[in-house]
Amino acid sequence: MEEILQNIIQAFQATSWLERFSVLCGIVQVLLSKNNKVSNYFFGILGITSGMMVLFHAKLYAEIALQIYYLIMSIYGWWYWVSNRQAKEQPITKASKSEWMVVLGIVFIGFFIFYFLLKGITDSDVPIWDAWVTSTAWAGMWLLAKRKIENWILLNISNLFAIPLLIHKNLYLFAALTTFLFIVAIFGYLKWRKIMGQELIKSQNA
C-alpha cells in the first residue's frame, strides 16, 4: 500500500498540466452530477477532450473510444436536460424493463465488439479488461443522460474494474481519480434516491 501511495505521489509530480487539468475537470464533473446539476456536462466535456492523448500513449484504445462516447453522450445529455421543456421537467426515475434490455445490450454487445476490435487491429495487451470497463461505462452514461438512478450502479461497476487496470498501466493519477469517482458515485446514488423521494412527495401533493 505504501508503495502504491508513493507511486501516486511521484506520478502526480511527473504528470503534465493536461493530465492534471483532465483529472480536475473529472472531479468537478462528478460532484456536480451527484447534486443533479446540468453544468456537470460542461466540465465533463473539458475533461474528456483533454484526457484522450494521455490514454492514447497508454494504449488504452477502448478507453479512448469510451471518451468519444462520453463526449457524444455528454452533448446529448446537456441538450436533453436544457434544450426543451419536457427535458427540464424530467424527474429522476428507475429504469424500466425495456431500458434494462437496452443496458444489457450496450454492455454485452459493446463488450464483444470492443474485444474483437482490440484483439484484431490494435496492440492492446488488456483487450478483455479494457472492453469490459468501456462497455459498462457506456451503459452507465446512457442511463445518466436519461436521468435513471441506476446509472451510478453501472458506472461503479466500470470504476471497480478500471482502478486496477489504470494501476496496471501506471496511470496512478487517473487511478486515484477513479477511486474518488467510485466513492462519490455511492453518495451520488444516495443523493439521487433522496431527490426521487422528494419529487414523489411533491407530485403526490400537487
Side-chain angles (χ1 to χ4, degrees):
M1 177 61 71
E2 291 183 6
E3 182 180 353
I4 292 176
L5 291 175
Q6 185 63 34
N7 285 334
I8 291 173
I9 294 172
Q10 292 176 353
F12 179 80
Q13 294 172 342
T15 51
S16 66
W17 69 267
L18 192 63
E19 185 174 350
R20 294 181 187 182
F21 178 74
S22 177
V23 169
L24 178 62
C25 287
I27 292 172
V28 174
Q29 187 270 334
V30 77
L31 290 175
L32 290 171
S33 181
K34 179 180 75 70
N35 290 299
N36 199 32
K37 301 293 185 181
V38 69
S39 54
N40 83 84
Y41 285 109
F42 172 74
F43 290 94
I45 290 169
L46 290 179
I48 291 165
T49 53
S50 59
M52 287 184 183
M53 290 191 65
V54 178
L55 296 171
F56 178 79
H57 290 298
K59 298 181 180 180
L60 291 175
Y61 304 115
E63 285 287 314
I64 295 173
L66 173 60
Q67 296 303 309
I68 294 172
Y69 178 77
Y70 276 174
L71 182 61
I72 294 170
M73 291 305 294
S74 292
I75 295 171
Y76 167 71
W78 200 349
W79 169 83
Y80 189 76
W81 284 25
V82 172
S83 295
N84 60 77
R85 183 175 180 179
Q86 181 180 0
K88 290 178 182 179
E89 297 174 353
Q90 180 75 16
I92 296 170
T93 58
K94 292 183 178 180
S96 65
K97 289 183 179 179
S98 61
E99 287 166 334
W100 269 114
M101 293 300 294
V102 174
V103 167
L104 292 175
I106 293 172
V107 170
F108 291 106
I109 295 174
F111 171 78
F112 285 109
I113 289 174
F114 276 115
Y115 170 72
F116 287 113
L117 286 175
L118 290 171
K119 192 73 173 176
I121 64 175
T122 76
D123 57 349
S124 173
D125 60 337
V126 285
I128 295 177
W129 209 345
D130 199 5
W132 176 253
V133 168
T134 300
S135 61
T136 50
W138 271 38
M141 280 296 293
W142 184 80
L143 288 171
L144 175 60
K146 293 288 186 179
R147 299 183 79 179
K148 301 297 179 179
I149 192 171
E150 293 89 351
N151 85 85
W152 298 108
I153 297 173
L154 270 295
L155 290 175
N156 254 2
I157 291 174
S158 177
N159 289 334
L160 186 64
F161 285 88
I163 293 167
L165 173 61
L166 293 166
I167 292 174
H168 171 71
K169 287 294 186 176
N170 297 320
L171 295 175
Y172 296 104
L173 191 59
F174 274 24
L177 170 62
T178 305
T179 302
F180 173 76
L181 299 182
F182 180 87
I183 296 170
V184 171
I186 295 173
F187 289 99
Y189 177 85
L190 297 175
K191 178 76 172 182
W192 278 38
R193 190 169 67 175
K194 181 179 179 181
I195 294 172
M196 279 180 62
Q198 293 171 342
E199 291 175 342
L200 178 61
I201 293 173
K202 188 183 298 183
S203 65
Q204 290 174 344
N205 294 334

